[in-house]
Amino acid sequence: MAEHIGVVGAGYVGLTSAACFARLGHQVTCVDTDESKVDALRRGEVAIGEPGLAGLVAGGLADGTLCFTTAQAQLHGVDLVLLCLPTPPGGDGRPDLGVLEHVVPQLGRLLRPGCVVVTKSTVPVGTAARLPRLLGRPDLPVVSNPEFLREGHAVEDFRHPDRVVVGTDPPDSAAARRVARLYEPTGAPVVRTDAASAELAKYASNAFLAVKLSYVNVLAELCERFGADVREVAHTMGLDARIGPHFLAPGPGWGGSCLPKDTTALLHAADAAGVDFGILRDAVRVNARQRARVVRAVRRAVTGSVSGSLAGARLGLLGLAFKAGTGDLRDSPARAVAEELAGQGAELTAYDPAVGCVPGLDAVQVVDDPYLVAKDAVALVVLTEWPEFRDLDWARLAAAAAGTVVVDTRNLLDADVLAAAGFAHHGVGVPLRTS
């Protein structure tokens, strides 16, 4: 049964949800306070670089199932409203719910009786229990329906989710069943639970991934000490169905818009509840250390010593985004490493297929051609796992470079290809390959 769905917030989660639900045949009204963004979306212009998203928006506009507006009043007749609002970390790291707390009372004065209010934003445990009071309406059921969308794969993840989590009190309420029906076309298993469990499940999932990534980064350091190859160790681990192969690739650290803020939020929640979440705290500490370890690896590769000076050393950086498939620089470990290298006096030229500039980091010259990063560089440093870096003409890069060193912080490249071009391959947790 088609529903009239309101979406509050046309950001990453809101726009993806709006476009995908429209594609499933629902009538969707998406509201955002940013007039320029709404005007652009009405013209079918999508600033978010998600594969397939622009086409879905264009299709929804063309068939009339999707509309964008700044007028919140247009939500008066909707059957369900999805809250897709920003909950950024505050000064102390706790989620800032200011936007949500401003919008929800307005919706309480606007929505028709029986409209289901759905929280998709990542919010602290207990938020769903607070919303009825903020709404001021006992006739507006509240459902927690956290999103699990990966940047660069949001449309795919919406259409083919691993699971759909629907939390209400009680769990099997009419509102919960109504929200679950929205996702029936995806064929995904639906987890019906209480609201607090649904809210905690989102934080718990991201925090576990952070722990797993920090674990493999420490494992890579151990492999370097023992002369082992972390790729072989991780592959062997991943064959165990209890562990799985995902998130077992070492790198310069984890970042982005979700893992750092969600781990911090969960740590604050644990502290407030009097629970010692030491394993997660250690994962955060390891992550901060990993970025410094990458800088030491660059110093060692360039100077022969972990304490060698990089002052005046020209380095070419491949990748700036926090991961491939996105241009997002938020909490990017690549950017953090670049900042530290610049702070040590290195001269930096960088290329990223999705990043045109690095606001606030003038020390990095961003170029639009990957081959320009090699000009007179004493070393090249791979910081983001863009697959196209594997297909570069490494002999051409070697001809332009002043040195023969590649520091591959993602273990992305083929050491044999680099050796044939004359480069020494310095990976993470792998034996040095020079020929």
Side-chain angles (χ1 to χ4, degrees), residues 29-33 38 42 67-72 74-75:
T29 300
C30 186
V31 178
D32 197 282
T33 57
V38 168
R42 285 170 171 167
C67 71
F68 298 96
T69 180
T70 59
Q72 200 175 88
Q74 292 194 24
L75 297 177

Side-chain angles (χ1 to χ4, degrees), residues 231 249-251 318-319 324 382-392 394 406-415 418 425-428 430:
R231 296 169 299 188
L318 290 169
V382 178
L383 293 172
T384 309
E385 72 282 19
W386 287 99
E388 50 260 54
F389 291 162
R390 294 192 188 100
D391 300 324
L392 293 174
W394 285 94
V406 174
V407 180
D408 183 3
T409 72
R410 300 284 188 166
N411 292 342
L412 175 73
L413 306 176
D414 187 322
L418 294 186
H425 179 261
H426 297 254
V428 176
V430 301

Side-chain angles (χ1 to χ4, degrees), residues 52-147:
L53 184 56
L56 288 175
V57 170
L61 292 170
D63 63 23
T65 56
L66 178 62
C67 71
F68 298 96
T69 180
T70 59
Q72 200 175 88
Q74 292 194 24
L75 297 177
H76 172 68
V78 300
D79 303 310
L80 306 96
V81 61
L82 312 184
L83 303 181
C84 304
L85 299 166
T87 56
D92 61 356
R94 291 180 175 84
D96 182 352
L97 301 185
V99 175
L100 184 141
E101 291 170 344
H102 174 72
V103 169
V104 169
Q106 296 175 348
L107 293 174
R109 296 188 290 270
L110 173 68
L111 300 176
R112 65 176 183 78
C115 178
V116 181
V117 178
V118 183
T119 58
K120 291 201 71 67
S121 306
T122 303
V123 293
V125 179
T127 300
R130 288 181 56 211
L131 285 192
R133 185 168 64 254
L134 288 173
L135 287 164
R137 295 270 302 278
D139 60 338
L140 299 176
V142 174
V143 175
S144 176
N145 175 220
E147 54 83 17

Side-chain angles (χ1 to χ4, degrees), residues 7-357:
V7 177
V8 183
Y12 180 80
V13 174
L15 185 58
T16 301
S17 299
C20 289
F21 276 128
R23 179 66 180 84
L24 292 177
H26 300 286
Q27 184 68 41
V28 180
T29 300
C30 186
V31 178
D32 197 282
T33 57
D34 187 330
E35 292 186 9
S36 61
K37 179 192 291 186
V38 168
D39 287 342
L41 289 171
R42 285 170 171 167
R43 297 190 298 269
E45 299 172 6
V46 177
I48 300 172
E50 278 295 325
L53 184 56
L56 288 175
V57 170
L61 292 170
D63 63 23
T65 56
L66 178 62
C67 71
F68 298 96
T69 180
T70 59
Q72 200 175 88
Q74 292 194 24
L75 297 177
H76 172 68
V78 300
D79 303 310
L80 306 96
V81 61
L82 312 184
L83 303 181
C84 304
L85 299 166
T87 56
D92 61 356
R94 291 180 175 84
D96 182 352
L97 301 185
V99 175
L100 184 141
E101 291 170 344
H102 174 72
V103 169
V104 169
Q106 296 175 348
L107 293 174
R109 296 188 290 270
L110 173 68
L111 300 176
R112 65 176 183 78
C115 178
V116 181
V117 178
V118 183
T119 58
K120 291 201 71 67
S121 306
T122 303
V123 293
V125 179
T127 300
R130 288 181 56 211
L131 285 192
R133 185 168 64 254
L134 288 173
L135 287 164
R137 295 270 302 278
D139 60 338
L140 299 176
V142 174
V143 175
S144 176
N145 175 220
E147 54 83 17
F148 296 92
L149 306 180
R150 298 169 296 163
E151 286 194 46
H153 302 272
V155 172
E156 175 190 351
D157 288 346
F158 187 99
R159 288 177 158 176
H160 307 286
D162 293 325
R163 75 289 202 197
V164 172
V165 180
V166 179
T168 58
D169 299 308
D172 194 28
S173 67
R177 292 193 295 272
R178 196 166 170 187
V179 172
R181 278 198 299 270
L182 297 177
Y183 296 94
E184 284 181 354
T186 71
V190 176
V191 178
R192 295 183 187 175
T193 185
D194 60 277
S197 296
E199 291 166 337
L200 184 55
K202 174 59 187 289
Y203 284 114
S205 296
N206 279 349
F208 182 79
L209 296 178
V211 170
K212 197 172 182 182
L213 288 168
S214 285
Y215 177 89
V216 77
N217 278 333
V218 175
L219 188 63
E221 186 176 4
L222 195 62
C223 285
E224 291 173 6
R225 301 291 178 90
F226 289 157
D229 189 326
V230 71
R231 296 169 299 188
E232 297 297 326
V233 175
H235 173 69
T236 302
M237 291 171 59
L239 294 175
D240 189 324
R242 297 169 301 174
I243 298 173
H246 303 296
F247 285 78
L248 282 179
W254 40 268
S257 62
C258 293
L259 295 193
K261 83 176 178 64
D262 289 355
T263 51
T264 301
L266 188 55
L267 282 172
H268 277 296
D271 289 343
V275 174
D276 181 5
F277 211 150
I279 190 171
L280 183 56
R281 199 175 304 279
D282 284 345
V284 173
R285 179 181 56 81
V286 166
N287 194 51
R289 189 184 74 186
Q290 183 68 7
R291 300 175 186 193
R293 202 170 83 82
V294 167
V295 173
R296 289 197 302 272
V298 173
R299 282 204 303 265
R300 182 173 60 244
V302 172
T303 71
S305 169
V306 294
S307 58
S309 173
L310 292 174
R314 185 174 181 82
L315 304 176
L317 309 182
L318 290 169
L320 290 166
F322 87 92
K323 71 171 186 176
T326 176
D328 199 341
L329 293 170
R330 287 176 290 179
D331 273 303
S332 169
R335 174 178 175 148
V337 169
E339 288 177 343
E340 181 62 25
L341 292 172
Q344 296 188 18
E347 298 177 4
L348 306 176
T349 303
Y351 169 78
D352 188 295
V355 176
C357 65

Side-chain angles (χ1 to χ4, degrees), residues 351-403:
Y351 169 78
D352 188 295
V355 176
C357 65
V358 186
L361 191 56
D362 296 335
V364 178
Q365 179 188 7
V366 182
V367 295
D368 59 2
D369 184 336
Y371 294 98
L372 293 177
V373 303
K375 181 175 173 55
D376 300 325
V378 297
L380 302 180
V381 185
V382 178
L383 293 172
T384 309
E385 72 282 19
W386 287 99
E388 50 260 54
F389 291 162
R390 294 192 188 100
D391 300 324
L392 293 174
D393 184 339
W394 285 94
R396 179 180 169 187
L397 288 165

